[in-house]
Amino acid sequence: MIQVINIIMQPITMLRGMVGILKRGGTAILSTPNAHGWGVKLFGKRWMNWYAPYHLQFFTPKSMRLAAEKSGLVLARFDTVTNSNWLHYQRIHLATYPVPGKPLWFWSRDIGDAALHEKAIVKVLSFAHRSKLNHVITRDYSFV
């Protein structure tokens, strides 16, 4: 489940449902933004995953372990891995951060709502992303 647990209202209920469908000894693999990860430390309140309403739940290694235990799962492993695309999206988020109360066009995926300077910023950042610099920073070699 890629970034599902953080967008649902009842994550424990969902995890308990997974327990019911997993075979004995089965493995569930989930990904979610790490609310204690390096992105939070570096970007603070402008960390893109704080942007509501897209993320309703925020997990740390400790809270993920507690959620697993409450649902009858065992957290065997917790890794923080940043795909280079997320760093690219974070940069766009920082460069086009809206004024309070104004929705961020980036999350609607309608670049038509962006101002001309925001479109230019996205083009420059997209060029930088295609240069693979983000891959080196995040050590994401799966896309090289």
Side-chain angles (χ1 to χ4, degrees):
M1 300 182 108
I2 299 173
Q3 296 210 16
V4 173
I5 195 166
N6 51 297
I7 62 170
I8 61 168
M9 296 292 285
Q10 301 293 330
I12 304 297
T13 302
M14 183 202 68
L15 291 173
R16 286 182 180 147
M18 289 175 63
V19 169
I21 61 173
L22 280 172
K23 290 183 179 180
R24 186 177 189 89
T27 300
I29 300 173
L30 290 81
S31 77
T32 187
N34 181 355
H36 278 181
W38 66 267
V40 174
K41 292 175 179 92
L42 184 61
F43 302 114
K45 70 178 185 175
R46 290 192 176 194
W47 181 50
M48 71 176 186
N49 292 303
W50 293 138
Y51 195 75
Y54 303 103
H55 295 133
L56 303 174
Q57 314 292 338
F58 298 97
F59 290 93
T60 66
K62 182 179 179 180
S63 64
M64 198 69 212
R65 184 173 306 283
L66 288 170
E69 289 171 2
K70 282 186 175 188
S71 63
L73 293 167
V74 174
L75 183 63
R77 184 172 164 179
F78 190 102
D79 292 318
T80 298
V81 178
T82 301
N83 182 294
S84 63
N85 290 319
W86 289 112
L87 182 55
H88 174 56
Y89 301 149
Q90 177 68 59
R91 287 183 174 148
I92 292 172
H93 180 76
L94 288 172
T96 61
Y97 198 79
V99 296
K102 180 183 176 207
L104 181 60
W105 64 266
F106 175 73
W107 290 106
S108 72
R109 305 310 260 167
D110 185 3
I111 198 163
D113 292 341
L116 187 57
H117 74 280
E118 291 174 325
K119 291 177 185 178
I121 289 168
V122 170
K123 284 189 185 260
V124 169
L125 291 173
S126 294
F127 175 77
H129 180 61
R130 286 192 305 276
S131 75
K132 308 289 187 194
L133 179 61
N134 289 348
H135 297 68
V136 174
I137 293 168
T138 62
R139 295 173 289 154
D140 175 9
Y141 302 111
S142 60
F143 298 99
V144 176

